[in-house]
């Protein structure tokens, strides 16, 4: 199996954290998101332990909630000793309503609204990651009005091109995120921030992309941030004590994807940082990282009921499922590969070549193409692995398909964390 928390039980069914996937589907219905809380905890512990071991004191991982934001995740993240990123008032409210401490929240976004800034400052958000100078002015004004000094990180663009998908590559000089170093604008941005009343600059943030497998890109990023921090020290006399390296470690979706040793990567980044700082005679900054995908992706499995199969003779066979791009738009968006199996016949030979299609009126509504699973009968449970990140978070009501429920499993027990959307929910906003 792709992940250790998955197994095949004596009925020949897929089990997630030891719980029979077909039983979960029978009890909670399909489509169903299943999130293995114990796996989430393990993923958190990997980051927390490695950052504590290899990086300067105060270094900490922040969970990038955009990967999977709902109330039930926040007590888990908090109790594992992590902070969290939010990118909207909605994400902030979700975390806060679940009791997550405001002081451990970092507020991101290219265009935070005036209301989001004002509310965030008043709620005591620990740090804002400021994207541009326009926002700096509003933040300074709101902090002064609230009588506080708001801690901020400045988001800069390091001008790197990690080899990942265009759509999730954010470090290039012409990106819409942050302010570029290369053009000299990041220095001017820092100068402006340092002279803005109501804010305290604690350091710099940069995020180069997502689904990145090799540490080299992160080491290059550290070099560029350090170079920049040195020129800020020379030009402006300011020494940044915090570098936030963003998120981006990749996870395997299919057997052929590389597996990332996160602890080893953090160690490599730490060694690189230490050498660079020693050479530049720069005090070691504390490091923040913002993993999203690598915290939740492999803890998630989506269960569907198979509608049936359809073979277009001489061409291909389809298996239709009772969800699709509405609960998982990643194939439609990025042609992302997934591992799919027939959870009802998990020990039968996977010899039926097929394309898994959703139920929307779009030929792009597919979950996987030309894969092999045990041939399903109508009602068999089809499992799609590694769906914890950017699935529920990106779900929609396209074609008025209802959003699935989400069940968390831990220590052999399941509990409903998000109930299934109803037709009443769907119509509730319409007057
Ligand atoms: C998307 C994003 C993350 C999380 O990226 P993952 O690839 O899910 O780890 C972290 N920080 C920022 C600023 C992001 O935009």
């Amino acid at each position: 199996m792709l992940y250790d928390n998955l197994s095949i039980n004596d009925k020949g069914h897929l089990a997630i954290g030891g719980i029979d996937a077909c039983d979960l589907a029978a009890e909670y219905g399909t489509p169903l998101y299943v999130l293995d809380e114990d796996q989430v905890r393990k993923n958190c512990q990997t980051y927390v332990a490695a950052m504590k071991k290899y990086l300067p004191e105060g270094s900490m991982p922040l969970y990038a909630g955009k990967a999977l934001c709902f109330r039930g995740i926040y007590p888990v993240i908090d109790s594992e000793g992590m902070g969290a990123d939010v990118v909207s008032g909605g994400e902030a409210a979700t975390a806060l309503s679940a009791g997550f401490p405001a002081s451990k929240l970092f507020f991101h976004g290219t265009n935070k609204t005036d209301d989001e800034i004002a509310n965030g400052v008043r709620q005591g958000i620990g740090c804002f990651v400021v994207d541009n100078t326009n926002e700096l002015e509003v933040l300074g004004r709101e902090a002064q009005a609230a009588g506080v000094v708001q801690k901020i990180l400045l988001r800069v663009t390091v001008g790197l091109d990690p080899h990942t998908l265009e759509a999730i590559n954010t470090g290039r000089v012409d990106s819409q995120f942050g302010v570029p170093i290369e053009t000299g604008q990041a220095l001017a941005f820092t100068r402006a921030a340092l002279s803005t009343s109501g804010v305290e600059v604690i350091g710099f943030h940069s995020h180069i992309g997502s689904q990145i497998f090799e540490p080299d890109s992160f080491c290059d990023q550290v070099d560029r941030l350090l170079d920049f921090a040195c020129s800020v020290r020379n030009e402006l006399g300011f020494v940044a004590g915090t570098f936030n390296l963003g998120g981006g470690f990749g996870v395997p979706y299919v057997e052929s994807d590389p597996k990332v040793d996160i602890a080893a990567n953090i160690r490599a980044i730490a060694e690189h940082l230490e050498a660079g700082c020693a050479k530049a005679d720069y005090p070691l900054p504390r490091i923040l990282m913002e993993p999203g995908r690598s915290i939740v992706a492999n803890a998630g499995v989506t269960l569907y009921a198979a509608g049936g199969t359809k073979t277009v003779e001489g061409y291909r066979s389809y298996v239709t499922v009772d969800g699709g791009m509405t609960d998982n738009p990643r194939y439609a968006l990025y042609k992302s590969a997934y591992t799919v199996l027939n959870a009802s016949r998990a020990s039968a030979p996977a010899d039926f070549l097929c394309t898994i299609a959703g139920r929307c009126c779009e030929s792009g509504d597919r979950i996987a193409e030309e894969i092999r699973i045990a041939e399903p009968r109508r009602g068999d449970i089809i499992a799609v692995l590694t769906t914890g990140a950017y699935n529920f978070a990106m779900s929609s009501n396209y074609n008025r398909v209802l959003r699935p429920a989400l069940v968390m499993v831990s220590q052999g027990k399941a509990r409903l964390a998000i109930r299934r959307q109803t037709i009443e929910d769907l119509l509730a906003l319409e007057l």
Side-chain angles (χ1 to χ4, degrees), residues 280-297:
D281 193 23
Y282 195 91
L284 264 185
R286 77 168 175 145
I287 297 293
L288 301 174
M289 297 179 98
E290 303 175 327
R293 189 190 308 272
S294 51
I295 297 294
V296 287

Side-chain angles (χ1 to χ4, degrees), residues 106-107 112 121 125-132 135-137 139-140 143 149-155 189-190 192-205 238 240 242 286:
F106 286 64
F107 204 126
K112 304 168 188 78
V121 168
I125 297 281
C127 184
F128 276 76
V129 183
V130 181
D131 182 87
N132 53 65
E135 193 177 297
L136 195 55
E137 288 161 26
L139 194 55
V149 176
Q150 178 63 56
K151 287 197 169 58
I152 61 172
L153 286 165
L154 301 178
R155 181 157 181 172
F189 181 35
T190 310
L194 289 171
S195 62
T196 300
S197 309
V199 301
E200 179 195 349
V201 183
I202 60 168
F204 301 111
H205 171 281
F238 171 72
T242 300
R286 77 168 175 145

Side-chain angles (χ1 to χ4, degrees), residues 291-329:
R293 189 190 308 272
S294 51
I295 297 294
V296 287
N298 70 355
V301 175
T302 305
L303 303 177
Y304 302 99
T309 58
K310 177 191 282 182
T311 298
V312 184
E313 293 197 352
Y315 293 89
R316 63 162 110 194
S317 296
Y318 290 97
V319 170
T320 51
V321 292
D322 56 355
M325 66 186 290
T326 47
D327 60 82
N328 181 359

Side-chain angles (χ1 to χ4, degrees), residues 64 66 85 108 155 205 207 210-211 247-248 290-293 390:
K66 74 179 204 213
D85 279 357
H108 266 282
R155 181 157 181 172
H205 171 281
H207 168 76
S210 199
Q211 192 60 348
E290 303 175 327
R293 189 190 308 272
Y390 306 109

